[in-house]
Amino acid sequence: MSNNNLIKTSMKVNNQTTNLLPPLPTVEELEEKETQNRLEYSRAEYDAYAAKYGIEKENSSNETFEEQTAVLKEARITTKSHLKAPSIFLSIGGISFIESGDIFAIKGKPKTGKTTVCKVISTATLKGECCGIKAEKKDLIVAYIDTEQKAQDTQGILKYVQQIGGEGCNEYIDRNFFIFSLRKRDYTTLISDLLRIVIAFRPDIIIVDGIADFVRSFNDEEASRMAILQQLRIVEDFNCAIINLIHENKPTEDHNPKGHLGQLLSQKDSIMMETKKDGGVIKVSCTASRHVPIPNLYLTYDEQGMIRDASATYNAAMHEKKQSLKNEYKKIAQDIISEAGGQIKRAELSKKMEAKTGKSRPYMSDLITQMLGKDLFLVNDMVQNTPSEQ
């Protein structure tokens, strides 16, 4: 074809000008075409490599080549992508806590207050605030799935929320708080139950107490992966959030959530919280977060059985405990120095304090540093109890 033919773009037909070539595409259309060309490569090329790598044997989704291509197009994020910001449902201390489109987890040993935390979350969501947790939106809806307790105990959660709400709140609670006792349901039906509840009631926050009942075994890696994947699909499609409760491993020193299920959950969740009991106080700490970690919560029950924010009293008690411990360690250090004749090398003091307290050498070394100049004194590279020899 000659250059003249290439640049000729119109001709006269019945005295009307007719375009021979389509109008030039816009930049956006070119970019879209470029993207399509990258993804819509030869099916034969894909089949050859897929056969070489054995990929099709692993693909159980039954998606066609064209469907997979469409998924990738939708999943690609570019500089021009406009993604809707997640809805912030709850916050703690001005920091986002529970957001739409994500899953969250509360782990802990048995009977350490996981359900208590969920009572507080439910109350804050419905009432607007509770024990430091604040609702960032009004008229939020909560669905609570209890797979562990008997029906009467599950009802106790509802009664607690009623008691907090006060008179005249029943209609609002029945409209915004949907709680289910599903202890008798099998792992094969629970994910279906969850989906039906989400479709029927459109909750903003779903509490799953506990996720281990959604799989035959929490060490079944494939079942665990599928249970969490289904939750990720739900929170994205329904713009909601799911909070999962899970037990920690049995050994006292092991604080990992149980099994493969716990490992996968910790990889996929946005925030992992842990509950511990310290006397009459439930300490809720953020052990991992994709974004800004949330502050600790301290909860306790008063004489009427109501949950109260215990942060002020707990922090005061911890300060008093630390001060008492510091005084104890100071006395141990001073006794060691006296037994050594009034002076001792700093490294030797750390070593002897480690042996007497059971604390690590670095911990003792840091403590000695804090006491120097106030309780202990360094004179000619020796530690002593007085500023100078007397």
Side-chain angles (χ1 to χ4, degrees):
M1 184 180 290
S2 69
N3 288 337
N4 288 337
N5 287 335
L6 283 174
I7 62 174
K8 186 176 180 181
T9 60
S10 63
M11 64 177 292
K12 292 283 187 177
V13 178
N14 297 328
N15 294 323
Q16 299 291 325
T17 301
T18 302
N19 289 329
L20 295 178
L21 296 174
L24 292 175
T26 64
V27 173
E28 290 77 12
E29 289 171 336
L30 283 172
E31 290 177 345
E32 173 64 21
K33 185 64 177 175
E34 186 270 342
T35 299
Q36 290 177 356
N37 287 340
R38 284 179 181 268
L39 289 171
E40 293 179 355
Y41 37 73
S42 163
R43 174 64 187 268
E45 182 181 8
Y46 172 81
D47 286 345
Y49 279 107
K52 178 180 179 181
Y53 301 150
I55 290 176
E56 288 305 310
K57 294 179 182 178
E58 301 295 329
N59 181 10
S60 59
S61 66
N62 296 321
E63 290 177 337
T64 65
F65 179 81
E66 291 73 23
E67 287 170 339
Q68 289 180 324
T69 301
V71 168
L72 291 177
K73 285 183 182 179
E74 185 178 350
R76 186 188 179 204
I77 297 175
T78 72
T79 56
K80 296 180 176 60
S81 298
H82 297 288
L83 301 179
K84 184 180 178 182
S87 297
I88 299 176
F89 297 141
L90 302 175
S91 65
I92 299 176
I95 298 173
S96 175
F97 174 30
I98 303 297
E99 296 182 353
S100 64
D102 236 327
I103 61 175
F104 304 81
I106 302 173
K107 65 177 181 175
K109 303 294 184 189
K111 310 298 186 292
T112 56
K114 295 185 293 296
T115 300
T116 297
V117 178
C118 291
K119 287 181 181 178
V120 172
I121 290 173
S122 300
T123 302
T125 306
L126 297 169
K127 187 181 178 184
E129 193 279 333
C130 183
C131 296
I133 300 178
K134 180 183 177 183
E136 295 295 332
K137 290 181 175 293
K138 294 183 177 180
D139 213 31
L140 291 171
I141 297 174
V142 180
Y144 196 121
I145 296 173
D146 188 349
T147 65
E148 296 193 346
Q149 302 182 111
K150 63 180 182 290
Q152 290 83 350
D153 289 332
T154 305
Q155 186 183 41
I157 299 172
L158 176 62
K159 287 182 176 179
Y160 182 84
V161 174
Q162 279 182 286
Q163 192 172 0
I164 289 290
E167 293 184 8
C169 70
N170 287 1
E171 183 179 344
Y172 178 79
I173 289 174
D174 285 339
R175 189 176 70 246
N176 290 70
F177 188 49
F178 302 98
I179 187 165
F180 300 84
S181 176
L182 298 179
R183 186 165 70 165
K184 294 185 290 185
R185 296 292 279 174
D186 186 70
Y187 72 93
T188 58
T189 60
L190 279 170
I191 190 62
S192 174
D193 294 334
L194 171 61
L195 180 58
R196 288 169 64 88
I197 289 168
V198 171
I199 292 173
F201 301 101
R202 304 292 167 138
D204 300 293
I205 297 174
I206 303 108
I207 297 172
V208 175
D209 182 3
I211 189 176
D213 291 310
F214 281 69
V215 294
R216 177 167 49 188
S217 166
F218 50 73
N219 279 320
D220 186 330
E221 191 168 357
E222 180 58 26
S224 299
R225 186 193 65 80
M226 184 54 65
I228 293 171
L229 177 59
Q230 298 288 29
Q231 287 197 4
L232 292 172
R233 289 168 171 167
I234 287 172
V235 295
E236 183 170 335
D237 288 343
F238 291 90
N239 199 38
C240 60
I242 297 178
I243 303 170
N244 292 287
L245 274 63
I246 188 167
H247 292 298
E248 292 177 345
N249 291 322
K250 286 185 177 181
T252 304
E253 67 280 2
D254 188 347
H255 295 282
N256 292 313
K258 272 191 170 183
H260 288 301
L261 178 63
Q263 292 177 20
L264 291 169
L265 181 59
S266 63
Q267 292 168 12
K268 298 294 185 180
D269 62 17
S270 180
I271 292 176
M272 174 71 77
M273 294 161 279
E274 181 181 31
T275 58
K276 291 181 180 179
K277 273 194 174 179
D278 188 352
V281 175
I282 298 167
K283 179 182 177 182
V284 188
S285 57
C286 175
T287 60
S289 174
R290 292 192 186 277
H291 306 293
V292 180
I294 58 171
N296 291 346
L297 294 175
Y298 301 94
L299 308 172
T300 191
Y301 285 89
D302 63 17
E303 58 274 11
Q304 280 80 41
M306 304 302 291
I307 304 171
R308 295 285 180 250
D309 183 349
S311 55
T313 54
Y314 182 85
N315 290 331
M318 286 299 100
H319 177 75
E320 184 178 340
K321 184 176 180 181
K322 286 179 181 178
Q323 190 60 44
S324 175
L325 197 58
K326 184 178 179 181
N327 290 336
E328 180 185 338
Y329 290 156
K330 179 179 74 172
K331 179 68 167 54
I332 291 172
Q334 290 172 338
D335 288 347
I336 291 172
I337 293 169
S338 297
E339 291 169 3
Q343 286 186 325
I344 191 171
K345 286 284 187 181
R346 180 172 173 174
E348 186 65 17
L349 178 59
S350 294
K351 180 180 178 181
K352 287 182 177 293
M353 290 187 70
E354 177 189 17
K356 281 186 174 289
T357 64
K359 295 290 185 179
S360 69
R361 186 84 57 87
Y363 181 90
M364 287 294 106
S365 179
D366 289 343
L367 185 62
I368 292 169
T369 299
Q370 295 173 29
M371 290 191 285
L372 285 175
K374 293 178 287 185
D375 304 307
L376 305 177
F377 301 90
L378 194 61
V379 179
N380 297 326
D381 295 326
M382 300 291 283
V383 182
Q384 57 187 51
N385 292 327
T386 56
S388 61
E389 293 183 0
Q390 297 179 355

